[in-house]
Amino acid sequence: MTNLSRRRLLASGGAAAAAGATFPLWTWAPSASIAGVGDGLDPDYVWDVRADPVIERLYGEGIDKVAEINEILEPWTTNDQPVPDGLPGYLADFIEEARQLPTWADQGKLKLAGTFNEERYGFFLALLYTLGSGLISCAIKREAWSVYYSYGGSDMRDRIAKTTALGYDVMDAQGWTASGRLMVDSVKTRMVHAAVRHLLPQSPHWRGVGAGQEIPISQADILVTFHSLGTWVMKKFTEWDIAPSQELADAFLHAWNVDLYLLGVQEQYLPKDWDAAYAQYDQVMGPATGATREGAELAQSLLDAVIGEGNPVLRHELESLGRYVIGDAYADMIDFDDDPVLAPIWASAVPLVVTSYNSSVPHIPIVSNLLPEAVHTFIKIYFSPGRSAPITLPLSNRPE
Ligand code: HEM
């Protein structure tokens, strides 16, 4: 695998990519991973050595063929369905292999992780994924650039729905069962990421931003996105004094690790415990984030998708609340409003809401009403329509 990765790196102009790389020296050791061993190659120079050639071959057969494959794969939605007939052999073989859970997947832990979406943590997970991770993703430079210049960047509402459906299912016990969709959606997403690696380098816009890599969505990039979701949320739970039990926190990490595996991340990069995850977070998050025009625009599209264009008062309220949730550094990167009057209100109201949800006293609706209705609507819209939007291979980059 190492040799393949190195060959691919060189064959794809990796030397130039290395020259523009923004990540510091990779020091996180494979001994901290689920595999326990590995070549320790910097994941910024490793992509998906199994999926990428398969998807490259598919696109080589022409865009009509890709569209045909999308049609064949559309009815393939649940974990228990066989891989559909009619696919080229090389693609069917890949999907069959990629849909298998790793041998270390623990059904008990996956089921336990599913309890996260229930009453006690569900609201915070939703709040933090939407007004937290969703916004931070716009401050992750490469993610912002690749989303903006890929096909999905032109329709944020659709894109949000699809991405969130996957993130949500990771903590949904149902997602892993026979009738769930997580394994299928993850394999489809892995294929979409490989498709983006094929298509995006052809975009003059993407090449123009100088992302420091010629091929997007490296293994390091996927780890960064995971940390902006799972690890950041767990840090926030701790900061807000609502950290789950160790057993539940471990189950949460386990579910993420299984999903990252399905997304094509090598086991040598999957953190074996939270200490290892935090160490990896510290290594990759800082250099990956920063202000970009595209990220600030995406953050606004994200608000548009939920509250509609216009609505300046609501928008200002949400920007200010978002700033409280993600902190000034990330909020500055996406150019969110800073309101000296609202800021102290959020600083008092949010902890009150947290305390009310966290107490054994039955949930007090009036306290959660301290958050503007827009927040509830935001979360509802963000999390609801995903099921209807099938994950499909993009046929082009963002239309001009
Ligand atoms: C597509 C989830 C990491 C960029 C998708 C889709 C999902 C998803 C569900 C399919 C949505 C669709 O059909 O449009 C995830 C998860 C990640 C992750 C769970 C990591 C934990 C990344 C990273 C990048 C990225 C690191 C870039 C640096 C994209 C792009 C698309 C995509 C450009 C295609 C958008 C389009 O053209 O439609 N991702 N992703 N993703 N993802 Fe990711």
Side-chain angles (χ1 to χ4, degrees), residues 140-153 158-159 162-167 170 185 188-189 192-193 196 200 213 216-218 220-227 229 256 259-260 263 389-394 396-398:
I140 298 171
K141 291 178 283 185
R142 286 176 178 171
E143 193 171 340
W145 283 319
S146 48
V147 167
Y148 191 92
Y149 292 114
S150 68
Y151 187 79
D158 186 54
R159 189 168 147 73
K162 289 171 177 171
T163 304
T164 311
L166 184 67
V170 174
D185 283 351
K188 285 186 175 178
T189 300
V192 170
H193 286 161
V196 171
L200 209 50
Q213 58 180 180
I217 320 186
S218 66
D221 291 325
I222 299 183
L223 292 170
V224 166
T225 301
F226 151 62
H227 288 305
L229 288 153
W256 261 114
D259 198 57
L260 289 168
L263 288 173
I391 296 177
T392 51
L393 293 166
S396 69
N397 287 316
R398 180 181 177 133

Side-chain angles (χ1 to χ4, degrees), residues 250-299:
D250 288 347
F252 182 95
L253 179 61
H254 183 75
W256 261 114
N257 272 331
V258 174
D259 198 57
L260 289 168
Y261 174 91
L262 291 176
L263 288 173
V265 178
Q266 295 176 12
E267 287 152 310
Q268 65 161 326
Y269 301 123
L270 301 178
K272 67 176 180 189
D273 55 29
W274 278 108
D275 284 346
Y278 291 137
Q280 201 182 65
Y281 176 102
D282 289 343
Q283 169 139 48
V284 296
M285 274 309 275
T289 50
T292 63
R293 178 185 64 76
E294 292 83 353
E297 225 180 276
L298 285 176

Side-chain angles (χ1 to χ4, degrees), residues 41-375:
L41 196 66
D42 184 340
D44 204 26
Y45 304 119
V46 183
W47 290 266
D48 190 334
V49 291
R50 179 70 179 96
D52 293 349
V54 170
I55 297 301
E56 232 166 74
R57 182 168 168 187
L58 173 62
Y59 278 75
E61 291 188 39
I63 215 65
D64 290 346
K65 185 71 183 173
V66 180
E68 183 193 321
I69 297 302
N70 276 336
E71 272 176 37
I72 296 175
L73 286 177
E74 191 171 337
W76 184 56
T77 54
T78 57
N79 299 335
D80 59 353
Q81 274 179 280
V83 178
D85 292 334
L87 297 172
Y90 66 88
L91 185 58
D93 287 350
F94 165 73
I95 295 178
E96 195 53 60
E97 181 191 318
R99 70 188 301 204
Q100 307 300 326
L101 289 181
T103 49
W104 43 266
D106 180 329
Q107 287 299 336
K109 286 186 181 174
L110 295 177
K111 202 165 168 205
L112 182 61
T115 61
F116 254 98
N117 280 350
E118 290 167 10
E119 178 70 12
R120 186 147 176 264
Y121 290 107
F123 174 77
F124 293 113
L125 201 57
L127 175 76
L128 292 172
Y129 270 173
T130 52
L131 268 180
S133 310
L135 295 178
I136 293 173
S137 75
C138 303
I140 298 171
K141 291 178 283 185
R142 286 176 178 171
E143 193 171 340
W145 283 319
S146 48
V147 167
Y148 191 92
Y149 292 114
S150 68
Y151 187 79
S154 59
D155 184 350
M156 274 304 276
R157 179 191 279 268
D158 186 54
R159 189 168 147 73
I160 290 165
K162 289 171 177 171
T163 304
T164 311
L166 184 67
Y168 192 74
D169 281 355
V170 174
M171 288 314 136
D172 180 0
Q174 185 61 29
W176 300 101
T177 62
S179 60
R181 294 164 170 256
L182 194 44
M183 282 133 82
V184 171
D185 283 351
S186 301
V187 172
K188 285 186 175 178
T189 300
R190 182 175 177 184
M191 289 163 59
V192 170
H193 286 161
V196 171
R197 289 186 198 104
H198 172 77
L199 288 173
L200 209 50
Q202 299 167 32
S203 157
H205 301 292
W206 190 80
R207 283 203 309 270
V209 295
Q213 58 180 180
E214 295 208 355
I215 301 173
I217 320 186
S218 66
Q219 301 248 320
D221 291 325
I222 299 183
L223 292 170
V224 166
T225 301
F226 151 62
H227 288 305
S228 73
L229 288 153
T231 314
W232 181 82
V233 163
M234 192 53 72
K235 281 166 99 70
K236 210 72 190 171
F237 278 146
T238 308
E239 184 192 317
W240 283 2
D241 209 15
I242 48 172
S245 67
Q246 190 63 46
E247 198 190 7
L248 194 49
D250 288 347
F252 182 95
L253 179 61
H254 183 75
W256 261 114
N257 272 331
V258 174
D259 198 57
L260 289 168
Y261 174 91
L262 291 176
L263 288 173
V265 178
Q266 295 176 12
E267 287 152 310
Q268 65 161 326
Y269 301 123
L270 301 178
K272 67 176 180 189
D273 55 29
W274 278 108
D275 284 346
Y278 291 137
Q280 201 182 65
Y281 176 102
D282 289 343
Q283 169 139 48
V284 296
M285 274 309 275
T289 50
T292 63
R293 178 185 64 76
E294 292 83 353
E297 225 180 276
L298 285 176
Q300 289 304 323
S301 319
L302 214 141
L303 294 181
D304 289 345
V306 179
I307 59 173
E309 289 181 29
N311 273 319
V313 177
L314 259 187
R315 182 172 298 257
H316 179 68
E317 231 176 2
L318 277 177
E319 284 196 21
S320 156
L321 176 58
R323 176 174 281 273
Y324 171 79
V325 173
I326 63 179
D328 286 330
Y330 289 138
D332 286 344
M333 289 175 195
I334 56 171
D335 211 13
F336 260 29
D337 288 348
D338 188 1
D339 184 319
V341 177
L342 280 175
I345 296 180
W346 300 133
S348 329
V350 174
L352 259 179
V353 175
V354 174
T355 313
S356 91
Y357 269 89
N358 198 31
S359 69
S360 49
V361 180
H363 165 57
I364 312 161
I366 197 144
V367 178
S368 101
N369 286 343
L370 284 172
L371 295 178
E373 190 48 34
V375 174

